[in-house]
Amino acid sequence: MNERNTGLLVRLATCVGMTGAAAVMVFVGIHAAKKCADPLCHAVVVNTPSVLLAVLLLACGLLRRRTTTASLNIGALSFVWLPLLHLLYVLRFAGLGETPGLLAIAVHSILLAFWEEAVFRGVVLDTLRPAGTVRAAVISALLFGLLHLARVFDGMPISDGVVLCGFSFSFGLLAAALRLRIGRLWPIIAWHAALDVSIGLVNRSMTSALPAVGELPVELYLFAVAFVAYGLALAGWRKRAMLILLGTTSLLLASLVVADLL
């Protein structure tokens, strides 16, 4: 085994270890928060162990300094059209007045977005970056997805865990690619937090006129495929990814038009 492959294995093992540590902190937070009756207290307690892990990793210098101090690439913000479209789609189903605990939702979303982005689009992505941008984005997204699959051990049905893992992978891949393109972590945290707030506001009893796979509208699955294709394209794997992106985005937009007409 040559030195380059050995270095990659060491970096991968380090990232797997960080993902395992994050999973442990998630479980600790979930069980600690079971004693909280107040939604705001629950939002803070459930995220505290993971936030402390993220702060520890940052304090140890595992996040490249230029990630937080580099100038923002304003032109690269044009790449966020797909995340914004997805956010607007989710907001169509949000019920602000019908959802209690708005402050708790906001606090939970901000804390969750901070530590997940700091760990996975910060430390993990930067640790893997010497292996190449595409490989770093894909592996960091896989680890991010596996972190959510761990919810199966906390009582989540396996089918729901697999779906959550897939959606988390697609989100993580696009988030990693955007972080590499934009050059800063904070815009990704803001997008992540806004999306989580929007999801938190969605009325759980919503119904969709479109065909659904499981309990979710088919548009969300199309968005997930588009996220993967767009993320690969932004990371540098352009040929096949752009063709997939073109096809899935066309289907996505067509489905949205149909939804508006029905």
Side-chain angles (χ1 to χ4, degrees):
M1 184 178 295
N2 58 42
E3 183 176 348
R4 181 177 180 180
N5 289 336
T6 301
L8 175 59
L9 289 176
V10 171
R11 291 176 181 277
L12 181 58
T14 301
C15 293
V16 170
M18 284 187 281
T19 303
V24 171
M25 293 301 101
V26 169
F27 286 129
V28 171
I30 289 174
H31 288 288
K34 288 181 178 179
K35 301 178 181 179
C36 299
D38 180 68
L40 181 58
C41 173
H42 184 279
V44 173
V45 173
V46 76
N47 285 292
T48 295
S50 301
V51 169
L52 292 177
L53 173 64
V55 171
L56 177 62
L57 292 174
L58 298 178
C60 292
L62 294 177
L63 181 63
R64 292 182 179 178
R65 186 174 178 80
R66 64 182 177 81
T67 301
T68 54
T69 60
S71 59
L72 180 64
N73 184 355
I74 300 297
L77 291 177
S78 61
F79 295 119
V80 303
W81 64 270
L82 182 58
L84 290 179
L85 178 62
H86 178 257
L87 184 60
L88 290 174
Y89 170 78
V90 174
L91 282 171
R92 293 173 59 197
F93 304 99
L96 183 61
E98 302 173 359
T99 305
L102 178 59
L103 179 59
I105 291 174
V107 170
H108 174 72
S109 299
I110 292 172
L111 293 177
L112 183 67
F114 166 74
W115 76 258
E116 286 190 342
E117 295 306 319
V119 172
F120 288 95
R121 261 65 70 184
V123 179
V124 171
L125 184 62
D126 279 341
T127 300
L128 295 170
R129 197 168 181 177
T133 55
V134 176
R135 188 177 294 181
V138 171
I139 295 177
S140 65
L142 282 172
L143 293 176
F144 184 63
L146 290 174
L147 174 71
H148 291 78
L149 184 60
R151 293 294 298 271
V152 170
F153 298 102
D154 190 54
M156 177 179 285
I158 295 179
S159 58
D160 291 345
V162 171
V163 171
L164 179 60
C165 177
F167 279 118
S168 300
F169 168 77
S170 66
F171 173 88
L173 182 56
L174 182 53
L178 287 173
R179 219 284 347 250
L180 293 172
R181 281 282 184 168
I182 295 174
R184 294 290 294 272
L185 190 61
W186 297 113
I188 312 304
I189 293 176
W191 167 44
H192 191 158
L195 180 59
D196 283 351
V197 168
S198 301
I199 293 174
L201 295 176
V202 171
N203 187 345
R204 295 184 179 181
S205 63
M206 77 171 190
T207 57
S208 174
L210 290 176
V213 180
E215 297 181 356
L216 298 174
V218 69
E219 303 101 294
L220 292 180
Y221 292 89
L222 292 173
F223 266 118
V225 176
F227 273 22
V228 172
Y230 196 33
L232 290 172
L234 291 178
W237 194 47
R238 297 181 179 276
K239 294 181 180 179
R240 295 181 181 178
M242 288 304 292
L243 291 175
I244 296 174
L245 173 64
L246 178 62
T248 55
T249 304
S250 298
L251 290 173
L252 169 63
L253 294 176
S255 68
L256 294 178
V257 170
V258 171
D260 289 334
L261 292 176
L262 293 178

